[in-house]
């Protein structure tokens, strides 16, 4: 395992690029998989369905992986700056590849303007993750940050259901929205706020703490706004119709 880790750490850019290519191949493969008729009728909906499907695969993979890493080596939660395992390092490499691929997909598909919130999020994640990959610092912090992907499984499923025009009062949508709000509070808000607290509490002893703290504060603002939108749409909509706009970060 150590020899394998050393090989990856010698050529981190190559392995990140390989992971990006793998996720791109997955995106291409999903183009051959049939999608709902409501999706195929519109070019933008078709692209968004494929994009979210890749994101769902990434979330299912990395969310479970991140939790497993912390269970295997719990000290990472308390030493996010310097402690990590080979599995944790590879997780950050894989996830970096995904975010680079997804950002490129949004840009080159022509939906960057409508997806600026997601692009801003991806840029912040990419710079933090690549810093961890190349410096070997904050790898554990990146793993804790990937706890949010547990919630992303339900967030992406929610948007896929909306694209397929599944009724909001249907059983599957109701069950998903309940899991979504619970995991949003526990895994997304919990992980983000813990990392923010850690940076503030250990500010004087951490490298580049200011840059990471600014990044975390921006992300906190974004996820709180999105949480408000989520609650408003799924729990206080009062019969509002499905949002048909082309804004990627829709309600």
């Amino acid at each position: 395992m150590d020899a394998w880790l050393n090989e990856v750490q010698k050529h981190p850019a190559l392995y990140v690029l390989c992971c990006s290519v793998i996720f791109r191949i997955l995106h291409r493969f999903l183009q051959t998989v049939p999608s709902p008729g409501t999706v195929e009728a519109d070019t933008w909906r078709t692209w968004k369905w494929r994009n979210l499907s890749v994101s769902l695969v990434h979330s299912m993979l990395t969310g479970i992986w991140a939790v497993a890493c912390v269970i295997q080596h719990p000290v990472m939660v308390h030493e996010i700056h310097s402690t990590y395992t080979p599995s944790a390092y590879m997780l950050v490499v894989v996830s970096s590849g995904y975010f680079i691929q997804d950002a490129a997909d949004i840009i080159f598909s022509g939906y960057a303007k409508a997806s600026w919130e997601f692009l801003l999020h991806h840029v912040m994640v990419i710079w933090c993750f690549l810093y961890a990959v190349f410096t070997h610092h904050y790898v554990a912090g990146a793993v804790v940050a990937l706890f949010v992907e547990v919630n992303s499984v339900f967030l992406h499923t929610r948007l896929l259901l909306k694209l397929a025009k599944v009724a909001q009062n249907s059983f599957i949508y109701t069950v998903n929205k309940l899991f979504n709000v619970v995991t949003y509070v526990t895994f997304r808000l919990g992980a983000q706020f813990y990392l923010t607290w850690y940076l503030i509490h250990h500010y004087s002893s951490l490298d580049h703490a200011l840059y990471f703290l600014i990044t975390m504060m921006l992300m906190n603002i974004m996820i709180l706004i999105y949480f408000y939108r989520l609650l408003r749409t799924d729990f206080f909509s009062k019969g509002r119709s499905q949002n048909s706009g082309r804004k990627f970060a829709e309600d």
Side-chain angles (χ1 to χ4, degrees):
M1 183 66 73
D2 289 339
W4 169 74
L5 176 61
N6 290 335
E7 178 62 26
V8 176
Q9 290 179 334
K10 286 180 182 178
H11 310 285
L14 176 61
Y15 282 90
V16 170
L17 178 60
C18 287
C19 291
S20 294
V21 171
I22 291 172
F23 279 108
R24 189 60 191 171
I25 292 173
L26 175 62
H27 187 280
R28 291 287 185 180
F29 169 75
L30 289 173
Q31 292 181 3
T32 66
V33 178
S35 54
T38 55
V39 172
E40 295 290 351
D42 182 82
T43 303
W44 176 77
R45 285 178 175 269
T46 301
W47 166 79
K48 188 172 180 181
W49 180 273
R50 311 288 188 237
N51 180 276
L52 284 170
S53 297
V54 176
S55 298
L56 180 59
V57 172
H58 168 261
S59 296
M60 294 175 67
L61 172 65
T62 59
I64 295 173
W65 193 348
V67 173
C69 284
V70 171
I71 292 175
Q72 178 191 25
H73 199 66
V75 72
M76 286 197 298
V77 175
H78 307 291
E79 299 178 7
I80 69 170
H81 176 261
S82 57
T83 302
Y84 64 93
T85 63
S87 179
Y89 183 83
M90 195 62 204
L91 167 60
V92 181
V93 170
V94 170
S95 195
S96 297
Y98 158 75
F99 281 109
I100 291 172
Q101 185 280 145
D102 197 53
D105 182 45
I106 294 172
I107 293 171
F108 293 114
S109 295
Y111 300 112
K113 184 176 180 180
S115 313
W116 70 267
E117 291 170 274
F118 270 67
L119 281 177
L120 176 60
H121 169 270
H122 284 13
V123 168
M124 291 190 290
V125 171
I126 289 169
W127 99 258
C128 290
F129 280 19
L130 290 184
Y131 179 93
V133 168
F134 285 97
T135 67
H136 310 154
H137 293 156
Y138 296 104
V139 174
V143 171
V144 173
L146 283 169
F147 270 43
V148 305
E149 295 302 329
V150 174
N151 168 247
S152 291
V153 171
F154 302 101
L155 272 179
H156 297 324
T157 300
R158 173 182 177 272
L159 289 176
L160 288 169
L161 291 173
K162 291 185 73 173
L163 280 175
K165 295 188 177 180
V166 175
Q168 290 194 17
N169 59 356
S170 65
F171 177 76
I172 186 172
Y173 194 97
T174 300
V175 171
N176 185 79
K177 78 176 183 180
L178 292 176
F179 276 106
N180 188 23
V181 74
V182 170
T183 56
Y184 203 107
V185 172
T186 54
F187 285 92
R188 186 172 296 274
L189 294 178
Q192 291 282 134
F193 291 167
Y194 172 76
L195 289 172
T196 303
W197 169 84
Y198 189 98
L199 288 169
I200 294 173
H201 188 69
H202 300 276
Y203 184 84
S204 61
S205 63
L206 296 174
D207 296 332
H208 306 295
L210 178 61
Y211 299 107
F212 287 105
L213 185 58
I214 291 173
T215 300
M216 291 304 303
M217 294 304 294
L218 289 173
M219 286 189 177
N220 290 342
I221 293 171
M222 292 175 67
I223 65 174
L224 286 172
I225 292 174
Y226 194 81
F227 190 48
Y228 163 74
R229 292 178 180 175
L230 184 69
L231 293 176
R232 181 190 63 187
T233 304
D234 280 357
F235 295 93
F236 305 103
S237 61
K238 296 182 180 180
R240 285 173 52 192
S241 61
Q242 294 278 354
N243 188 349
S244 59
R246 294 200 167 190
K247 199 170 187 299
F248 193 82
E250 63 181 337
D251 290 343

